[in-house]
Amino acid sequence: MQIKETTNEGLKRAYTVTIPAKEIDERVNSEVKKIAPQVKMPGFRPGKVPANLVRKMHGEQLHAQTLNDMIRESVDKVMADNKLRPAMQPSVELDEGYEEGKDASLSVELEILPEIDAPEVDGLALERLTVPVTDEQVDEAVERIASNNKSYKDAAKTKKAADGDQLIIDFVGRVDGTEFEGGKAENTPLTIGSGQFIPGFEEQLTGVKTGDKKTITVTFPEDYPAENLKGKEAEFDVTVQQVKVPTDTKIDDEFAKNLGLEGLDKLKELLRGQLEQETSGLTRTQMKRQLLDTLAAGHDFAVPQGMVDAEFEQIWAQLQQEAARSDDAETMLKEMDDEKDDYRKIAERRVRLGLLLSEIGQKNGVEVNANEMNMLIQQAAQQYRAEDRERFIQYVQQEPMAAAQLRAPLYEDKVVDFLFDKAEITDREVTREELEAAIEAEETTEEKPKKKTAAKKKPAAKKAPAEKADDKDGDEKPAAKKAPAKKTAAKKPAAEKADDKPAAKKPAAKKAPAKKAAPKK
């Protein structure tokens, strides 16, 4: 076997590897001898089939498999002899002109991981901004729960419905005089002003009384999910069974017990814990950003462009998805394209930080243990159907790259926690608004494009499809109702998240499998 280096520029390496035809043939003959005792052929006793006949029968398959095995071994030898740490899977190509009986010529191209001097972690100074949870905040949280758990009582028959009142109604909807599927319901609760039904429906019921019957006209929105109702005008015959008014909710032990808790003190304790957990998450975000900014400012080494390309593609794909959900996707995409270079810098920063954190972790013995890894695999497997979970688990256990990608976020968090433990931390109490402002202020020009454009999302759907859909009670959802809006936290573009994540370091591959292409004969 002959190995010749053809490229050595920066982090790029390339080699040509020649595997002599004689070595390939000898290995094939060795494989023939191994399988010959198991080969059966009419006219021969088991194990007595001549080697030349075995080779004639299975030679092509044995040759292809042997060649691929020798290619993998050759690439491993290139890595070992040159003490290379591949950044990603090497590219291995077999010469197109190869035929059985000829020397095999390979081209091996790769990028290596840079040599990084891990910084000393002692003496790192960080400021931790903390937000104390006050009794007033806890009381406000309790009041919000009470407001969302309103109870209603029957109003006098002369009571005219107003905002905040609840109606119990029956209705039948018609388009062009014909009832449509999903447009009929009985004993349906509707709170005036809740925006629960399509535009115009609730407003026309303001002022009705118990027992009233009213025909209202509404127009289904153009983006209504049922094709047969989009933009159509519809009439609804509505019967008001009852007008109800909200009752004052007394916040006491009985109220907490109705929520399944021991009493009001326990409810406040739980809410305080939730608020503290939420603000501590923001504090960690602020500290992590501060830490990463400090590391990024002190290190500027070359990074593998293949890793940068992969990280950029991931950022770009997420940005495109967010643009597609905006009201003006065309404008968003144009602005993104104008800022493409800035997003590429973000990708490069992430890769550099990922490599740096990995180096710090390795130098200081940070690792993800077997139990933690098994837990990660089990959690990830839950995203798949029950029948596919075992196959996913086997895939992760057999593929080092897949396991590394799964491990990377936890490993990064453990390195960050290690650095927090080593740092000299100064605490300062601030308000939540000040903490959020500090997180935004710590964004550097490398972390986001200079012209930040928030994606405008489409408004939540204002209705449910007219098709039948079973709800908790098995009743059909009326078409006049809006579809329940998913609770979605306001998001920044993928590359601008406050918790500026470093890209996961790709581990050096233990094996570099060659492309399995049957050799030409």
Side-chain angles (χ1 to χ4, degrees):
M1 181 188 303
Q2 296 178 345
I3 299 173
K4 180 181 179 182
E5 185 178 71
T6 57
T7 300
N8 188 331
E9 299 175 357
L11 300 177
K12 293 183 178 180
R13 301 289 185 275
Y15 302 85
T16 57
V17 180
T18 302
I19 307 174
K22 182 180 178 182
E23 291 183 15
I24 299 172
D25 191 60
E26 288 174 353
R27 179 77 72 88
V28 172
N29 285 335
S30 177
E31 292 299 317
V32 168
K33 291 178 181 179
K34 285 181 183 178
I35 70 168
Q38 287 81 43
V39 174
K40 295 180 181 180
M41 183 180 291
F44 294 92
R45 286 182 296 166
K48 299 298 181 181
V49 180
N52 63 325
L53 291 181
V54 173
R55 180 155 186 166
K56 185 175 181 180
M57 289 174 60
H58 303 286
E60 183 176 349
Q61 180 182 353
L62 286 172
H63 179 269
Q65 182 60 50
T66 298
L67 181 60
N68 274 286
D69 289 344
M70 296 184 76
I71 288 174
R72 280 194 292 269
E73 292 167 8
S74 300
V75 174
D76 286 346
K77 182 173 175 56
V78 170
M79 302 299 135
D81 289 355
N82 293 278
K83 298 180 180 179
L84 301 177
R85 297 192 304 160
M88 301 179 71
Q89 202 76 281
S91 169
V92 182
E93 295 287 345
L94 176 64
D95 180 37
E96 290 184 1
Y98 175 75
E99 295 179 359
E100 187 173 346
K102 290 185 176 181
D103 293 347
S105 180
L106 312 175
S107 296
V108 181
E109 297 180 357
L110 70 151
E111 284 185 291
I112 61 172
L113 294 172
E115 294 295 329
I116 305 170
D117 294 327
E120 292 298 327
V121 296
D122 294 326
L124 184 65
L126 297 173
E127 182 180 48
R128 178 165 54 203
L129 305 183
T130 61
V131 179
V133 175
T134 65
D135 291 341
E136 289 76 12
Q137 289 174 317
V138 175
D139 290 340
E140 287 174 3
V142 173
E143 289 172 3
R144 283 196 296 271
I145 292 177
S147 177
N148 292 331
N149 287 273
K150 284 182 179 179
S151 56
Y152 295 85
K153 65 180 181 180
D154 292 348
K157 291 185 178 181
T158 57
K159 167 72 165 98
K160 292 183 178 181
D163 275 0
D165 292 341
Q166 186 185 72
L167 305 180
I168 305 300
I169 60 174
D170 301 339
F171 61 82
V172 178
R174 296 180 179 85
V175 172
D176 297 329
T178 303
E179 291 185 24
F180 54 89
E181 187 176 12
K184 182 177 181 180
E186 296 180 351
N187 296 318
T188 299
L190 166 63
T191 301
I192 301 294
S194 65
Q196 180 183 355
F197 280 45
I198 60 177
F201 194 101
E202 296 170 19
E203 291 85 344
Q204 295 181 61
L205 294 178
T206 300
V208 299
K209 302 186 296 296
T210 297
D212 281 356
K213 293 185 178 181
K214 186 172 184 177
T215 298
I216 62 177
T217 302
V218 294
T219 300
F220 283 96
E222 292 293 341
D223 60 351
Y224 196 78
E227 289 292 334
N228 62 317
L229 297 177
K230 283 183 177 181
K232 294 289 183 68
E233 184 178 273
E235 284 189 347
F236 285 88
D237 293 332
V238 181
T239 300
V240 181
Q241 299 291 358
Q242 184 66 56
V243 175
K244 293 175 173 284
V245 293
T247 60
D248 291 333
T249 301
K250 188 176 181 181
I251 299 176
D252 55 13
D253 286 338
E254 193 61 33
F255 168 71
K257 288 177 181 178
N258 289 334
L259 297 175
L261 300 172
E262 298 171 4
L264 185 58
D265 287 343
K266 186 63 176 178
L267 174 60
K268 289 184 176 182
E269 180 186 331
L270 290 175
L271 289 174
R272 184 180 294 276
Q274 290 176 2
L275 291 170
E276 288 174 346
Q277 185 176 16
E278 186 178 338
T279 55
S280 66
L282 290 174
T283 294
R284 178 181 170 83
T285 294
Q286 173 263 331
M287 281 186 64
K288 182 176 178 181
R289 176 175 291 281
Q290 189 184 159
L291 170 66
L292 296 180
D293 283 348
T294 300
L295 293 176
H299 298 82
D300 185 18
F301 50 84
V303 293
Q305 288 306 300
M307 293 180 71
V308 175
D309 291 342
E311 185 68 20
F312 172 77
E313 290 302 323
Q314 187 176 19
I315 292 172
W316 199 248
Q318 189 168 347
L319 287 169
Q320 287 178 317
Q321 290 174 4
E322 293 182 4
R325 294 195 298 268
S326 72
D327 290 331
D328 191 352
E330 186 176 347
T331 299
M332 279 291 298
L333 290 170
K334 183 180 183 305
E335 290 176 351
M336 282 166 48
D337 197 60
D338 292 341
E339 297 164 349
K340 207 165 188 174
D341 290 343
D342 294 315
Y343 284 116
R344 188 164 187 86
K345 289 178 181 177
I346 294 169
E348 184 173 323
R349 170 188 162 96
R350 287 186 178 183
V351 170
R352 185 175 288 110
L353 283 169
L355 294 174
L356 185 57
L357 288 176
S358 179
E359 200 69 26
I360 292 171
Q362 290 180 31
K363 180 180 178 181
N364 293 280
V366 179
E367 58 182 26
V368 175
N369 62 42
N371 288 338
E372 291 170 331
M373 191 63 201
N374 287 335
M375 188 176 296
L376 285 174
I377 294 173
Q378 294 297 331
Q379 289 173 346
Q382 297 306 310
Q383 303 173 27
Y384 297 86
R385 297 177 302 177
E387 58 269 28
D388 294 331
R389 289 171 189 166
E390 188 60 35
R391 187 165 49 185
F392 168 79
I393 292 172
Q394 291 176 357
Y395 167 73
V396 174
Q397 291 172 340
Q398 294 169 3
E399 291 291 335
M401 281 291 190
Q405 289 175 349
L406 196 60
R407 182 192 301 110
L410 177 58
Y411 184 79
E412 175 195 315
D413 279 342
K414 295 189 77 167
V415 175
V416 168
D417 286 337
F418 166 79
L419 291 173
F420 284 167
D421 290 339
K422 289 287 186 179
E424 296 176 4
I425 297 176
T426 304
D427 289 313
R428 178 162 64 93
E429 284 191 4
V430 295
T431 64
R432 179 172 177 137
E433 291 73 21
E434 289 172 332
L435 175 55
E436 291 173 345
I439 291 172
E440 291 295 324
E442 286 166 0
E443 291 180 352
T444 66
T445 53
E446 284 189 354
E447 289 171 14
K448 65 175 184 177
K450 295 175 183 178
K451 296 179 181 179
K452 177 181 172 183
T453 306
K456 295 180 181 178
K457 295 185 180 179
K458 291 181 179 179
K462 297 181 179 178
K463 56 276 153 181
E467 300 93 77
K468 291 183 179 179
D470 293 335
D471 62 13
K472 292 180 181 178
D473 300 317
D475 297 328
E476 183 181 317
K477 285 185 180 178
K481 279 193 176 182
K482 288 186 180 181
K486 294 181 179 179
K487 293 182 179 179
T488 307
K491 292 197 298 182
K492 297 182 178 182
E496 301 174 29
K497 291 184 179 177
D499 203 5
D500 188 22
K501 65 169 185 177
K505 176 185 174 183
K506 310 296 188 297
K510 292 182 179 179
K511 290 188 178 181
K515 295 182 178 179
K516 290 189 177 181
K520 296 179 182 179
K521 297 184 68 179

